[in-house]
Coordinates of all heavy atoms in Angstrom, one line a residue:
D45 N 110.3 123.6 -124.7 CA 109.3 123.4 -123.6 C 108.8 124.7 -123.1 O 107.6 124.8 -122.8 CB 109.9 122.7 -122.4 CG 110.1 121.2 -122.7 OD1 109.4 120.6 -123.6 OD2 110.9 120.5 -122.0
I46 N 109.6 125.7 -123.1 CA 109.1 127.1 -122.6 C 108.1 127.6 -123.6 O 107.1 128.2 -123.3 CB 110.3 128.0 -122.4 CG1 111.1 127.6 -121.2 CG2 109.9 129.5 -122.3 CD1 112.4 128.4 -121.0
R47 N 108.4 127.4 -124.9 CA 107.5 127.8 -126.0 C 106.1 127.1 -125.8 O 105.1 127.7 -125.9 CB 108.1 127.6 -127.3 CG 109.2 128.6 -127.7 CD 109.8 128.3 -129.1 NE 110.6 129.3 -129.6 CZ 111.9 129.3 -129.4 NH1 112.5 128.4 -128.7 NH2 112.7 130.3 -130.0
R48 N 106.2 125.8 -125.6 CA 105.0 125.0 -125.4 C 104.2 125.5 -124.1 O 103.0 125.6 -124.2 CB 105.3 123.5 -125.2 CG 106.0 122.9 -126.4 CD 106.3 121.4 -126.2 NE 107.1 120.8 -127.3 CZ 108.3 120.4 -127.2 NH1 109.0 120.5 -126.0 NH2 108.9 119.9 -128.2
D49 N 104.9 125.9 -123.1 CA 104.3 126.4 -121.9 C 103.6 127.7 -122.2 O 102.5 127.9 -121.7 CB 105.4 126.6 -120.8 CG 104.8 127.1 -119.5 OD1 103.6 126.9 -119.3 OD2 105.5 127.6 -118.6
I50 N 104.2 128.6 -123.0 CA 103.6 129.8 -123.3 C 102.3 129.6 -124.1 O 101.3 130.2 -123.8 CB 104.6 130.7 -124.2 CG1 105.7 131.2 -123.3 CG2 103.9 131.8 -124.9 CD1 106.8 131.9 -124.0
V51 N 102.3 128.7 -125.1 CA 101.1 128.4 -125.8 C 100.1 127.8 -124.9 O 98.9 128.2 -125.0 CB 101.5 127.4 -126.9 CG1 100.2 126.8 -127.6 CG2 102.4 128.0 -128.0
S52 N 100.4 126.9 -124.0 CA 99.4 126.3 -123.1 C 98.8 127.4 -122.2 O 97.6 127.4 -121.9 CB 100.1 125.3 -122.2 OG 99.2 124.7 -121.3
R53 N 99.6 128.3 -121.7 CA 99.2 129.4 -120.8 C 98.3 130.4 -121.4 O 97.2 130.8 -120.9 CB 100.3 130.1 -120.1 CG 101.2 129.4 -119.1 CD 102.1 130.3 -118.5 NE 103.1 129.6 -117.6 CZ 103.7 130.2 -116.6 NH1 103.3 131.5 -116.2 NH2 104.5 129.6 -115.8
Y54 N 98.7 130.8 -122.6 CA 98.1 132.1 -123.1 C 97.2 131.9 -124.4 O 96.4 132.8 -124.7 CB 99.2 133.1 -123.5 CG 100.0 133.4 -122.2 CD1 101.4 133.2 -122.2 CD2 99.4 134.0 -121.1 CE1 102.2 133.5 -121.1 CE2 100.2 134.4 -120.0 CZ 101.6 134.1 -120.0 OH 102.3 134.5 -118.9
V55 N 97.3 130.8 -125.1 CA 96.6 130.7 -126.3 C 95.3 130.0 -126.1 O 95.2 128.8 -125.6 CB 97.4 129.9 -127.4 CG1 96.5 129.7 -128.7 CG2 98.7 130.6 -127.8
S56 N 94.2 130.7 -126.3 CA 92.8 130.2 -126.1 C 92.1 130.0 -127.4 O 90.9 129.6 -127.3 CB 92.1 131.2 -125.1 OG 92.0 132.5 -125.7
N57 N 92.7 130.3 -128.5 CA 92.0 130.1 -129.8 C 91.8 128.7 -130.1 O 92.8 127.9 -130.3 CB 92.9 130.8 -130.9 CG 92.3 130.7 -132.3 OD1 91.2 130.1 -132.4 ND2 93.0 131.2 -133.2
P58 N 90.6 128.2 -130.1 CA 90.3 126.7 -130.3 C 90.7 126.3 -131.7 O 90.8 125.0 -131.9 CB 88.8 126.6 -130.0 CG 88.3 127.9 -130.4 CD 89.3 128.9 -130.0
N59 N 90.9 127.2 -132.6 CA 91.1 126.8 -134.0 C 92.6 126.8 -134.3 O 93.0 126.5 -135.5 CB 90.4 127.8 -134.9 CG 88.9 127.7 -134.8 OD1 88.3 126.6 -134.7 ND2 88.3 128.9 -134.8
S60 N 93.5 127.1 -133.4 CA 94.9 127.2 -133.6 C 95.5 125.8 -133.4 O 95.0 125.0 -132.7 CB 95.6 128.2 -132.7 OG 95.6 127.7 -131.4
R61 N 96.6 125.5 -134.1 CA 97.3 124.3 -133.9 C 98.8 124.6 -133.9 O 99.3 125.6 -134.4 CB 97.0 123.3 -135.0 CG 97.4 123.7 -136.4 CD 96.8 122.7 -137.4 NE 97.1 123.1 -138.8 CZ 98.2 122.8 -139.4 NH1 99.1 121.9 -138.9 NH2 98.5 123.2 -140.7
V62 N 99.6 123.7 -133.2 CA 101.0 123.8 -133.1 C 101.7 122.9 -134.1 O 101.3 121.8 -134.3 CB 101.5 123.4 -131.7 CG1 103.0 123.4 -131.6 CG2 100.9 124.4 -130.7
V63 N 102.7 123.5 -134.8 CA 103.5 122.7 -135.7 C 105.0 122.9 -135.3 O 105.5 124.0 -135.2 CB 103.4 123.3 -137.2 CG1 104.4 122.6 -138.1 CG2 102.0 123.0 -137.7
E64 N 105.6 121.8 -134.9 CA 107.0 121.8 -134.5 C 107.9 121.4 -135.7 O 107.5 120.6 -136.5 CB 107.2 120.9 -133.3 CG 106.4 121.3 -132.1 CD 106.8 120.5 -130.8 OE1 107.7 119.7 -130.9 OE2 106.1 120.7 -129.8
F65 N 109.0 122.1 -135.7 CA 109.9 121.8 -136.9 C 111.4 121.8 -136.4 O 111.7 122.6 -135.4 CB 109.7 122.8 -138.0 CG 110.1 124.2 -137.6 CD1 111.3 124.7 -138.0 CD2 109.2 125.0 -136.9 CE1 111.7 126.0 -137.7 CE2 109.6 126.3 -136.6 CZ 110.8 126.8 -137.0

Side-chain angles (χ1 to χ4, degrees):
D45 283 343
I46 289 174
R47 288 177 168 92
R48 296 180 186 113
D49 184 19
I50 286 170
V51 171
S52 176
R53 287 189 188 208
Y54 300 119
V55 176
S56 57
N57 180 356
N59 297 317
S60 69
R61 62 189 178 91
V62 172
V63 172
E64 299 191 4
F65 67 99

